Amino acid sequence: MNSRRIGLRRAPLRKQLNGSNIITNMRVFCFGLKHTRARYAGEVTMVDRWFGFFMEKVDELGLLRDTLILFTADHGHYLNYPGDGGLIGKPLSYRGERFPMYQSLVNIPLIVRMPDGVSAGERRKGIVQPADTMPTILDFLGIDIPEHCHGQSFLPLLLGKPQQRRKFAFSGAYNNITHVSNAQWSYGCWEKHRPPVLFDLTNDPLQTKNVLEQKEDVAAMLHGELIEFLQSIGAPEEKIERYQRYLPFV
């Protein structure tokens, strides 16, 4: 099934459909959605099974005592569940319409097994980004982290030690959308094409209401954090300038 926003209102022949055809179309859609979700669940089951085989082999080789294992992904996936914005797959645009990055896309799994099972079963609170993976591995191996590295080691977090933690997570797709979030706010903006969006995750976890107009101060703060982040990683000046001109209240 192609990645797209789902809905009968987008059917090309919607003006020609009578009641019975609408019911038939809905049945086809429901079957396709059920099939897509089942296939995705099957893939998850397959990964789980083969990762189990991998862990068994690591144990068989006697490596679990001194091996750090990280399980993660590069992005989430929409399956038209509540909070997915009516989307399937990972679309950021469709036929000229551009979509925010909902939490089910930007929140990704991170499961860590410490050597010899240290801290097994515990959860850690904090914001970790994919760019933090490499410096964490280097830190674990006792290798100096390069100064130009964009990420930071979260090994202290795993060990339960004090650490200066990230305040926000930054996500995006090149030349499409940039996303800033923490536990309370989800802010998305584009270099052009459409106005930004702001969701209050505390009161609206499914991201159904854009509160940008009511919370312009929050949007301005998050946009400022985005500018600082782009500057810190050495983003091209022209890109930073485009974002600096983006909002009238920044």
Side-chain angles (χ1 to χ4, degrees):
M1 180 176 292
N2 292 331
S3 297
R4 55 168 294 180
R5 184 179 288 272
I6 300 299
L8 286 177
R9 60 185 177 82
R10 290 186 171 275
L13 301 178
R14 60 185 180 277
K15 293 183 179 179
Q16 303 177 31
L17 293 176
N18 57 36
S20 60
N21 284 338
I22 290 177
I23 293 175
T24 300
N25 196 7
M26 180 59 77
R27 286 174 178 168
V28 171
F29 161 70
C30 290
F31 171 79
L33 178 60
K34 183 178 180 180
H35 180 69
T36 299
R37 289 175 174 174
R39 286 175 61 89
Y40 188 83
E43 291 184 3
V44 172
T45 300
M46 180 188 68
V47 171
D48 180 73
R49 183 177 181 85
W50 282 98
F51 187 72
F53 291 152
F54 168 79
M55 292 297 295
E56 289 176 359
K57 177 56 69 173
V58 173
D59 187 22
E60 179 184 324
L61 295 173
L63 299 175
L64 287 180
R65 291 189 301 274
D66 57 0
T67 300
L68 176 70
I69 298 174
L70 295 92
F71 182 97
T72 187
D74 55 344
H75 58 76
H77 198 86
Y78 298 134
L79 288 169
N80 196 31
Y81 285 116
D84 287 352
L87 301 171
I88 289 180
K90 53 174 182 177
L92 298 176
S93 63
Y94 179 72
R95 292 183 178 178
E97 184 174 356
R98 296 176 181 271
F99 312 128
M101 299 179 75
Y102 295 99
Q103 292 300 295
S104 48
L105 186 68
V106 299
N107 281 345
I108 58 176
L110 176 60
I111 303 173
V112 180
R113 188 193 186 279
M114 297 289 288
D116 217 14
V118 174
S119 303
E122 296 182 8
R123 287 178 175 266
R124 296 286 188 262
K125 289 186 177 181
I127 295 176
V128 174
Q129 300 252 233
D132 299 333
T133 303
M134 181 267 281
T136 300
I137 294 174
L138 293 181
D139 194 10
F140 170 74
L141 295 173
I143 300 175
D144 292 338
I145 300 171
E147 293 184 2
H148 62 269
C149 182
H150 293 166
Q152 63 185 43
S153 171
F154 56 87
L155 184 62
L157 180 64
L158 296 175
L159 297 174
K161 297 180 179 180
Q163 179 183 18
Q164 184 177 359
R165 302 180 182 180
R166 294 182 181 274
K167 296 180 180 179
F168 302 96
F170 300 90
S171 311
Y174 184 70
N175 282 343
N176 199 313
I177 183 176
T178 302
H179 180 266
V180 185
S181 65
N182 60 10
Q184 182 176 5
W185 301 106
S186 174
Y187 171 75
C189 68
W190 295 258
E191 292 186 34
K192 51 185 178 179
H193 301 299
R194 61 167 293 173
V197 293
L198 177 68
F199 298 104
D200 182 350
L201 299 178
T202 302
N203 299 304
D204 180 27
L206 298 182
Q207 297 176 261
T208 60
K209 182 180 180 181
N210 181 8
V211 296
L212 182 77
E213 293 184 0
Q214 295 78 27
K215 298 290 184 179
E216 286 192 353
D217 57 331
V218 175
M221 179 271 293
L222 294 173
H223 199 85
E225 293 288 342
L226 169 61
I227 298 298
E228 290 186 14
F229 171 74
L230 292 174
Q231 292 171 335
S232 71
I233 63 174
E237 286 297 326
E238 58 270 20
K239 177 174 285 290
I240 296 176
E241 290 176 0
R242 284 199 295 270
Y243 278 109
Q244 286 175 329
R245 297 193 302 265
Y246 188 77
L247 294 178
F249 48 80
V250 173

